[in-house]
Amino acid sequence: MSEKAGLRSFELIDPPVLSRFTVDRSEPLRLDSARQLECWPKARVLVVDERGRTPMREGAGGEWELVTRPATDFGPAPSPEAALLGEQDGVAYWAVRGRPSLIDGDDPSQWYDLRTMGGKLDATGAGLFTTAVAVLGWQAAGGFCANCGHATERRNAGWATHCPNCGREEYPRTDPAVICLVHDGGTGGSAQVLLARQPVWPPGRYSVLAGFVEAGESLEACVMREIEEEVGIVVSDVRYLGSQAWPFPRSLMIGFSAVGDPSVPLRPAEGEISEAFWITRDELRQGLVDEDWESPGDAGGRVLLPPSISIARSMLDAWAALD
Ligand SMILES: [Zn+2]
């Protein structure tokens, strides 16, 4: 490590876009069916289709908002399939699976998915939609008991299943994955950050390194292991940056920074990483604003940095903004 190395940690500038959540998740209300019924006439319902799309419209200020429906359109009480997302300003928000219906004026072209539009939604919309996609995705995947195979019943306003045969209860599952920005600990425009690409990504896409946490593994150990496996370097100073749900289908991305030594040769893991290279802060700054930025890596060509909806982009933006 160079003598002038002086930056061991930094922070995100803003929360990742899908981590903005303004609604009270209201666990007590999930268990209180009498109050759910009482709140139903004023409640709003977010309809999400099987492809994960929901209706939206552009608001006056340029931010997009969800188009929710009055709960009473869906019957006199919440169905067992509905999932309670939370409460805000005395209004309960629910999510159900559904599809565009031309009968009541829905325009299927105004239905959008979370990956495409999550970053354009206001904070309330982003939080509600992220939670809806996550909980409805879990519901769709888990109709049978993992213990005995019997069909399960929904409980807790969509947030639990119960097996009437063996009594097993299950709750929405999340798979933790670490994502780590590896830098050299340096300061100024010549400080360096590690970018890599996976062979399955579109041509030109580069990002920071990521991987799923294994059973019995700590997050910090996972960061060290993934980086060593993927590019063959040992990192230090593993620091937490922030997290974001990534319900495609059920990940939680947990962001870290770590310090590595650019003088150690990179050994990209065959089949997992097709190319990895260090770039300077000045180069990254250019890449973040210039759409025709040419890759400093071996492959050359135009570079695509991660989209603004990803925590990877929040991490790169924060590191690029450092002095
Ligand atoms: Zn069972």
Side-chain angles (χ1 to χ4, degrees), residues 87-133:
E87 259 184 311
Q88 181 162 285
D89 303 327
V91 177
Y93 288 89
W94 293 77
V96 298
R97 271 271 186 263
R99 57 184 56 185
S101 149
L102 292 170
I103 299 162
D104 57 9
D106 257 351
D107 177 356
S109 72
Q110 300 303 303
W111 286 52
Y112 299 98
D113 66 50
L114 184 61
R115 269 184 203 258
T116 312
M117 295 296 283
K120 294 181 178 158
L121 282 170
D122 58 23
T124 300
L128 286 171
F129 193 15
T130 303
T131 303
V133 169

Side-chain angles (χ1 to χ4, degrees), residues 273-317:
I273 300 293
S274 50
E275 190 190 357
F277 53 79
W278 294 87
I279 61 166
T280 66
R281 182 173 282 129
D282 282 342
E283 287 172 319
L284 177 63
R285 285 171 179 160
Q286 187 197 344
L288 289 170
V289 295
D290 180 2
E291 287 190 355
D292 296 320
W293 183 49
E294 288 282 318
S295 165
D298 298 337
R302 195 173 147 244
V303 170
L304 295 171
L305 289 169
S308 59
I309 193 175
S310 67
I311 190 172
R313 182 58 173 259
S314 302
M315 293 159 65
L316 287 167
D317 282 342

Side-chain angles (χ1 to χ4, degrees), residues 92-222:
Y93 288 89
W94 293 77
V96 298
R97 271 271 186 263
R99 57 184 56 185
S101 149
L102 292 170
I103 299 162
D104 57 9
D106 257 351
D107 177 356
S109 72
Q110 300 303 303
W111 286 52
Y112 299 98
D113 66 50
L114 184 61
R115 269 184 203 258
T116 312
M117 295 296 283
K120 294 181 178 158
L121 282 170
D122 58 23
T124 300
L128 286 171
F129 193 15
T130 303
T131 303
V133 169
V135 70
L136 294 176
W138 168 73
Q139 287 187 351
F144 296 91
C145 176
N147 184 45
C148 74
H150 199 279
T152 56
E153 297 167 349
R154 298 266 158 71
R155 291 268 172 95
N156 301 6
W159 287 87
T161 57
H162 170 81
C163 174
N165 185 48
C166 75
R168 180 188 164 94
E169 300 229 321
E170 205 164 284
Y171 301 90
R173 300 281 306 277
T174 295
D175 295 334
V178 299
I179 180 160
C180 184
L181 182 148
V182 180
H183 62 109
D184 69 347
T187 56
S190 62
Q192 296 183 75
V193 64
L194 181 62
L195 292 184
R197 61 174 272 102
Q198 294 179 14
V200 294
W201 289 351
R205 163 82 67 216
Y206 291 87
S207 187
V208 297
L209 297 167
F212 283 107
V213 181
E214 291 190 340
E217 186 175 44
S218 74
L219 300 175
E220 294 82 354
C222 180

